[in-house]
Amino acid sequence: MQTSLVLAAMLAAIGITYWRPLRRVRRALGFDYLISTGHGFLILGYILGLAFVSHSRSLVDDVGPIVAFVAGWVGFATGMRFEYRVLRSVPLHAFRVALWPALGAAIVTAATSVVLLTSLSLSPNQVFSASLVLGAAAASSGPTLAAILRGRRAGRASHVRPLLNMIEFSAGVDDLLVLVLAGLAFAIFRPEGHPINHFGFLGITLGGGAVLGLITWLFLGGRSADEDERLLLGLAMLAFVAGFAAWLKLSPVAVSAIAAMVLANLPGNRMDKFFSAIRRVERPAVVILMTVIGFHISGKLHWIVFPLVFVITVGRLAVKHLAGQEVAGVLPEAPGLSTTPGWADGLASQGILGLLIALSLFQIWYDQISRSVLAAVAIGGVINEVLAPWLLLRLLRKMKPPRYSLVPKGPL
């Protein structure tokens, strides 16, 4: 009964938030961007959590299947963007430059988290699992802000388009590193009492996702099946992939993303309508997950949440800035991309993947430390999203348009 009441309250609150008459209020308070990224619903879920003060393992287990399915949906939407046919046109050097800030932030955040969490006398598996999750959250960047600015006046100038393209490209490529860290966190570092076979579960994460992606492609390929039947089969397989990962205590995001990568790179167009449906419903899925995360973090937290928030905000932004400075420069082999000094400041937006992985950590461990890790990622995400527009707009203002002279210099 409590679970039904909580879900009904969440859905009602989400509906009210999207209510048309409230748009002016959101705009006046500056909440439009947080609503578009979904982070505003973290605050909404937190308020609901305070209203329903009873947090129990049974409630987490009841909501678990919904969370796994929606997390798998978002993971699938992430993985299907990695088409080899498109990515092969980008030079390898551009990939290295795009990944460098995320790699630096992940290494520094994970290493610092290991030191902080080790002081709490936790088991090694929990320390390393939580640290990898925090590293994944630090590596993750959201492309929403750059995509929004490209359609507005501030991003239409020809001299800023390559920079926005690079920020959006880097945020997308960073997801690969996030998925790798998620796979390692849940496959290798497992709770006590669970079956432990490090390479076995890592193989299941990679091989299981790939095999399920191939099976989905086969299911969508029947000659007699129409588009609606293929769509239903695809959604059924998505639910199965997410449930498969949750059942084995793996990351639904990582396994679903791997399945989507395989499906996106197989021949034919049988999956087009399925992919289109995934894109259309991705936003409501994010809203539901954000609200659930906000509800969970309203429980009792450990003091470790404060230094972790500092690491995931100040430390993350500083490392990304410094790493971006190291690789700033011209990319002659990729004329549509630009890395001007300070370009990594545009990666301040944290995105959604890191939050989903932290939510999976909480679903599996369900203790005060895992709740605090989830809270640190959530609070840090809100802070980073508030800072992201200011940092990116400041970066764009520093960029001056090139001056062209019609008079040749030097002697005639």
Side-chain angles (χ1 to χ4, degrees):
M1 182 65 182
Q2 185 188 13
T3 304
S4 302
L5 185 61
V6 170
L7 291 176
M10 286 182 179
L11 293 175
I14 291 170
I16 293 173
T17 307
Y18 275 115
W19 192 31
R20 187 180 296 272
L22 287 179
R23 288 183 178 179
R24 291 185 179 180
V25 178
R26 294 202 313 263
R27 191 176 298 113
L29 296 176
F31 284 164
D32 268 355
Y33 174 63
L34 289 180
I35 294 296
S36 65
T37 59
H39 287 76
F41 293 96
L42 285 171
I43 303 172
L44 175 64
Y46 181 80
I47 296 173
L48 289 174
L50 295 178
F52 299 91
V53 294
S54 177
H55 293 78
S56 63
R57 179 74 210 194
S58 61
L59 179 61
V60 174
D61 292 337
D62 290 339
V63 181
I66 300 175
V67 170
F69 176 68
V70 180
W73 194 293
V74 176
F76 211 98
T78 301
M80 68 187 190
R81 299 187 184 109
F82 292 96
E83 294 187 51
Y84 177 72
R85 295 181 293 272
V86 177
L87 296 178
R88 67 181 179 182
S89 61
V90 182
L92 184 61
H93 179 62
F95 281 97
R96 290 196 294 266
V97 172
L99 276 172
W100 191 245
L103 184 61
I107 293 174
V108 172
T109 301
T112 306
S113 301
V114 168
V115 175
L116 291 172
L117 294 173
T118 301
S119 65
L120 302 181
S121 301
L122 303 175
S123 67
N125 278 6
Q126 187 170 12
V127 169
F128 288 108
S129 179
S131 299
L132 285 176
V133 166
L134 288 163
S140 177
S141 295
T144 304
L145 181 59
I148 291 175
L149 284 179
R150 282 202 306 165
R152 296 185 179 180
R153 184 177 180 182
R156 290 175 184 169
S158 59
H159 67 286
V160 303
R161 287 178 188 171
L163 173 64
L164 293 177
N165 290 339
M166 185 64 189
I167 292 172
E168 197 169 356
F169 172 69
S170 180
V173 173
D174 290 349
D175 290 343
L176 286 174
L177 178 59
V178 176
L179 295 173
V180 169
L181 294 175
L184 293 174
F186 295 100
I188 295 181
F189 304 106
R190 301 176 65 79
E192 288 75 9
H194 288 251
I196 297 177
N197 185 340
H198 303 326
F199 295 103
F201 281 108
L202 188 59
I204 290 174
T205 301
L206 298 173
V211 170
L212 290 172
L214 178 60
I215 293 174
T216 304
W217 180 77
L218 294 174
F219 280 176
L220 297 178
R223 292 185 178 181
S224 59
D226 58 24
E227 291 299 323
D228 292 334
E229 290 175 340
R230 288 177 177 174
L231 176 59
L232 291 175
L233 285 170
L235 294 176
M237 282 302 300
L238 190 156
F240 179 81
V241 173
F244 166 80
W247 176 58
L248 292 177
K249 306 299 182 183
L250 299 173
S251 171
V253 175
V255 177
S256 299
I258 292 171
M261 289 180 197
V262 172
L263 185 59
N265 288 284
L266 290 172
N269 58 356
R270 62 186 71 175
M271 66 287 289
D272 289 350
K273 189 170 183 177
F274 177 43
F275 282 175
S276 178
I278 294 292
R279 294 187 186 98
R280 286 198 302 269
V281 189
E282 182 183 7
R283 179 176 174 78
V286 169
V287 168
I288 293 172
L289 282 174
M290 288 291 197
T291 310
V292 171
I293 292 171
F295 179 86
H296 285 321
I297 65 175
S298 62
K300 187 177 180 180
L301 302 177
H302 193 276
W303 63 264
I304 197 68
V305 69
F306 297 106
L308 291 180
V309 168
F310 181 84
V311 172
I312 207 72
T313 53
V314 178
R316 170 181 178 269
L317 295 177
V319 173
K320 285 203 170 190
H321 176 81
L322 294 175
Q325 292 292 92
E326 288 189 8
V327 294
V330 181
L331 294 173
E333 65 276 13
L337 303 175
S338 172
T339 54
T340 59
W343 71 275
D345 291 348
L347 299 172
S349 174
Q350 192 171 309
I352 179 66
L353 278 187
L355 273 167
L356 296 185
I357 297 167
L359 178 59
S360 297
L361 180 78
F362 173 70
Q363 293 276 344
I364 293 174
W365 290 88
Y366 188 70
D367 59 4
Q368 192 180 28
I369 299 301
S370 60
R371 190 194 299 274
S372 299
V373 170
L374 176 61
V377 176
I379 296 170
V382 173
I383 295 173
N384 290 328
E385 294 299 334
V386 171
L387 292 175
W390 175 74
L391 289 172
L392 183 54
L393 289 175
R394 187 188 67 167
L395 177 61
L396 295 182
R397 292 191 192 101
K398 290 182 179 179
M399 297 181 62
K400 296 181 180 180
R403 296 181 180 180
Y404 300 98
S405 177
L406 298 178
V407 180
K409 296 181 180 180
L412 297 177

